[in-house]
Amino acid sequence: MATSNPTKVTVQAVVQAPVEKVWKCWTEPEHITKWNQASDDWHSPRSENDLRVGGKFNTRMEAKDGSMGFDFWGTYDVVKPHEEIAYTLGDGRKVQILFTAQGNQTKVVETFEAEGTHPVEYQQAGWQAIMDNFKKHVESL
């Protein structure tokens, strides 16, 4: 559960694409399933996204060998197209993503409240790996 003073962790990338394309790839399920994994032995076989304040999202994340998996889900608190998304995860932690247009590239900065089970460095590495996969996906289109 969220604590009263959670550790906040930030990951980021500069994507070589305009903000409209970056936003589309971040928010549309057909794109989310292509980039939302931290390593090649994991995947996201399905994703649902109701992108509006109060709307819910749910992305299934699984090991490709079927040995484990979980639903990554939450409820949107802020949706400002091409600028900001904020949500509360199912366990109460908060996440914010800022999209900053910089001409033909977009800076994406994601800040999340760390959970208490795994080391913060491990969580940061995992979320950064997902961010790096996102960047690769967008830039390959």
Side-chain angles (χ1 to χ4, degrees), residues 66-90:
S67 62
M68 63 178 68
F70 61 92
D71 287 338
F72 184 82
W73 63 278
T75 304
Y76 289 108
D77 303 314
V78 177
V79 177
K80 294 180 184 172
H82 306 152
E83 293 178 21
E84 179 184 6
I85 295 172
Y87 56 83
T88 302
L89 290 169

Side-chain angles (χ1 to χ4, degrees), residues 33-105:
T33 58
K34 292 183 174 57
W35 59 261
N36 196 24
Q37 61 274 337
S39 63
D40 290 340
D41 54 342
W42 278 71
H43 67 146
S44 292
R46 65 176 164 75
S47 181
E48 300 167 8
N49 195 19
D50 183 7
L51 186 64
R52 61 182 174 83
V53 173
K56 297 192 182 316
F57 66 89
N58 187 347
T59 299
R60 181 70 184 168
M61 301 175 84
E62 295 179 351
K64 288 181 178 175
D65 67 7
S67 62
M68 63 178 68
F70 61 92
D71 287 338
F72 184 82
W73 63 278
T75 304
Y76 289 108
D77 303 314
V78 177
V79 177
K80 294 180 184 172
H82 306 152
E83 293 178 21
E84 179 184 6
I85 295 172
Y87 56 83
T88 302
L89 290 169
D91 63 6
R93 294 181 296 135
K94 302 285 189 179
V95 180
Q96 179 191 46
I97 306 103
L98 299 175
F99 302 83
T100 305
Q102 300 174 331
N104 234 11
Q105 61 185 23

